[in-house]
């Protein structure tokens, strides 16, 4: 049971990576096939719950920008974030990157149960990770507004991370 939350989280990430590329009317069947193949160790009801959680997020119009066709799933990123100590180099994987006409939107999926409701209660490691990604993206997209957010899959909620919170995390962990 100790690895179960981790394995469920990986399955949900995989669904959110692959399903946006599939026509909405075919996503349910595709999710069932994917989960049957990659999550056979889970019960049928667990697989259905994971499928429904992913589809609830993808079908929610509030997330249309996040999952727009121009968005990138599992975007690799690496380098030395702007304003970090000398010699520091990072690499990572952005769950969803949307390059929009007026801004860059970065979303990291989180499957915590229950998820925090206040930014102050988000684990510091999550904020530090997003601060590092923002620092890298500021170099790639100079002059663009970069918005960072966590998508809590459990309750299909997008939590924006304020710039001030990211600035504090950057100063504490990267500078």
């Amino acid at each position: 049971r100790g690895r179960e939350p981790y394995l469920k989280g990986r399955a949900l990430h995989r669904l959110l990576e692959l399903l946006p590329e599939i026509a909405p009317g075919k996503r349910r069947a595709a999710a069932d096939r994917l989960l049957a193949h990659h999550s056979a160790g889970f019960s049928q009801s667990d697989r259905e719950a994971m499928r429904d959680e992913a589809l609830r997020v993808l079908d929610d119009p509030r997330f249309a920008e996040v999952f727009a066709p121009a968005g990138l799933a599992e975007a690799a990123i690496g380098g030395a974030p702007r304003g970090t100590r000398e010699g520091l180099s990072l690499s990572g994987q952005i769950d969803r990157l949307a390059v929009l006409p007026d801004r860059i939107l970065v979303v990291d999926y989180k499957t915590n149960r229950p998820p925090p409701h206040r930014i102050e209660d988000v684990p510091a490691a999550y904020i530090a990770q997003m601060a590092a990604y923002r620092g890298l993206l500021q170099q790639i997209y100079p002059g663009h507004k970069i918005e960072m957010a966590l998508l809590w899959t459990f309750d299909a909620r997008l939590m924006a991370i304020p710039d001030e919170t990211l600035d504090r995390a950057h100063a504490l962990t990267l500078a």
Side-chain angles (χ1 to χ4, degrees):
R1 280 315 243 187
R3 287 184 40 92
E4 186 174 303
Y6 169 77
L7 294 173
K8 282 183 178 180
R10 283 187 49 127
L12 279 164
H13 272 74
R14 191 77 170 137
L15 291 172
L16 292 172
E17 174 189 353
L18 297 174
L19 292 178
E21 304 304 318
I22 297 171
K26 297 181 179 184
R27 287 179 180 163
R28 183 180 192 87
D32 287 340
R33 285 190 306 275
L34 184 74
L35 289 169
H37 182 70
H38 293 289
S39 301
F42 289 104
S43 70
Q44 180 66 27
S45 65
D46 281 343
R47 289 194 305 271
E48 289 171 0
M50 287 186 279
R51 175 203 64 212
D52 292 347
E53 188 168 330
L55 292 177
R56 187 171 55 250
V57 168
L58 292 173
D59 293 341
D60 192 320
R62 294 174 299 164
F63 306 127
E65 283 187 320
V66 174
F67 296 105
L72 300 171
E74 299 298 320
I77 190 167
R82 188 177 72 172
T84 58
R85 61 185 170 273
E86 190 172 327
L88 180 66
S89 183
L90 303 171
S91 66
Q93 199 101 348
I94 295 174
D95 290 339
R96 194 76 185 178
L97 174 69
V99 179
L100 305 167
D102 60 336
R103 67 197 192 288
I104 309 298
L105 177 59
V106 177
V107 176
D108 197 48
Y109 311 141
K110 297 299 179 192
T111 58
N112 302 45
R113 283 158 167 60
H117 287 280
R118 301 175 332 128
I119 196 73
E120 297 82 10
D121 298 328
V122 172
Y126 294 177
I127 303 296
Q129 173 190 11
M130 297 300 274
Y133 289 168
R134 184 185 67 161
L136 290 168
L137 289 166
Q138 286 170 330
Q139 294 185 147
I140 297 168
Y141 298 101
H144 285 74
K145 170 129 180 73
I146 299 173
E147 295 180 359
M148 311 298 285
L150 300 171
L151 195 157
W152 302 104
T153 62
F154 180 73
D155 56 1
R157 182 169 39 92
L158 196 64
M159 178 186 278
I161 305 173
D163 285 337
E164 305 78 38
T165 301
L166 292 163
D167 292 343
R168 272 194 307 280
H170 184 95
L172 288 173
T173 59
L174 301 171

